[in-house]
Amino acid sequence: LCYATSHSPDNDFKYQGVLISNCDLGYKENRQRLAPAGTIHGSVERINGEYYVFYHRCTHNTNFSRQACAERINMNPDGTFNQAEITTQGMGKPLVGRGKFPASLCCNLYNRKTKNVQGNGHEQDQPNIIHDENGQYVTAIDNNTVIGYKYFIFFSVKSISVITRKAKGRFIVTTQPGESIAAVVDLASGNNWQKATAELTIKDGTQALYFTYIGKGNIDFREFEIK
């Protein structure tokens, strides 16, 4: 989602760059799609003196299913904006890192196959958010898929539980992809939703949370709980 500015409403517009990308492409020079990329209709609004960008992420591997989102953006002294980071918390403060969270709140969702959605919803070879009669969940998670959430405020947490199905492996839980391991959750197998729990070691403070699946097959991920 890009923008341009002008001193006139009908001419002399100057391109000023990207406001936000629904796969974080270009954010801090990132060149990897960190979520299925697609259409991103949006707008900017000033509310109580603060600026926010409204946009949407794509679900169901199609441009026609969308998750409404918003992020705070900061105006520079010259009137321009820097590209905003996509997050789970959105326009508010970091989430309290305790309790139950739908897996579909992920802001990062990618593996080696992640690319732009095609609009037909039939590309099940890349992870995506989908739904059934009980709500949304993440599907088509295969080996080395990363599911990320930003940001939480953690304080004295001790365990993490996940609800998955069709798993033949484990989740490696970290605060940054590929960095120090905060938990290893051995996932229960089977076609029904099942819960698995592990000890969680995370420093107090504001952190992201990433789940990396290591295992076989394509699994589904509905929910996680932090205690």
Side-chain angles (χ1 to χ4, degrees):
L1 182 65
C2 305
Y3 76 111
T5 59
S6 173
H7 291 290
S8 171
D10 60 358
N11 63 70
D12 295 331
F13 277 88
K14 180 182 178 181
Y15 174 77
Q16 297 287 14
V18 177
L19 286 169
I20 198 163
S21 160
N22 58 12
C23 65
D24 255 357
L25 201 64
Y27 177 71
K28 292 187 176 179
E29 300 185 354
N30 170 55
R31 290 293 174 259
Q32 179 182 5
R33 287 173 175 79
L34 299 181
T39 179
I40 182 174
H41 303 94
S43 61
V44 173
E45 185 61 65
R46 185 170 184 249
I47 304 172
N48 296 328
E50 299 285 350
Y51 286 92
Y52 301 90
V53 58
F54 295 83
Y55 69 106
H56 64 74
R57 294 197 278 262
C58 297
T59 66
H60 297 72
N61 269 335
T62 171
N63 279 313
F64 306 110
S65 295
R66 303 163 184 175
Q67 194 180 59
C69 306
E71 302 287 352
R72 180 177 292 168
I73 54 176
N74 297 314
M75 179 179 282
N76 298 314
D78 64 357
T80 62
F81 295 98
N82 298 323
Q83 181 173 341
E85 178 185 28
I86 58 175
T87 69
T88 296
Q89 72 192 48
M91 58 196 296
K93 297 179 180 180
L95 304 174
V96 176
R98 189 177 296 273
K100 294 182 179 181
F101 302 91
S104 60
L105 290 180
C106 58
C107 54
N108 292 163
L109 178 59
Y110 62 93
N111 60 17
R112 65 187 183 280
K113 303 173 184 176
T114 300
K115 53 187 176 181
N116 292 4
V117 299
Q118 299 300 304
N120 55 24
H122 296 152
E123 286 198 19
Q124 295 307 311
D125 62 343
Q126 69 175 0
N128 65 101
I129 296 169
I130 201 168
H131 80 284
D132 60 19
E133 64 276 9
N134 295 312
Q136 294 185 335
Y137 60 94
V138 182
T139 191
I141 300 167
D142 66 0
N143 188 49
N144 286 318
T145 293
V146 177
I147 309 113
Y149 304 83
K150 298 180 290 189
Y151 291 92
F152 296 96
I153 299 177
F154 293 107
F155 180 73
S156 298
V157 297
K158 296 181 178 180
S159 69
I160 189 163
S161 300
V162 298
I163 296 178
T164 61
R165 66 182 178 188
K166 299 185 289 186
K168 296 179 182 179
R170 58 183 56 180
F171 271 146
I172 307 299
V173 183
T174 61
T175 55
Q176 289 292 333
E179 295 193 3
S180 299
I181 296 174
V184 177
V185 188
D186 291 315
L187 305 176
S189 60
N191 292 324
N192 297 320
W193 293 108
Q194 300 189 59
K195 183 177 180 179
T197 303
E199 181 180 349
L200 180 64
T201 304
I202 288 183
K203 293 180 180 179
D204 293 349
T206 301
Q207 306 267 15
L209 197 65
Y210 293 87
F211 298 80
T212 302
Y213 178 63
I214 304 298
K216 298 179 180 180
N218 288 344
I219 77 167
D220 298 332
F221 181 23
R222 181 175 290 281
E223 181 183 281
F224 62 96
E225 182 177 10
I226 302 168
K227 291 184 177 180

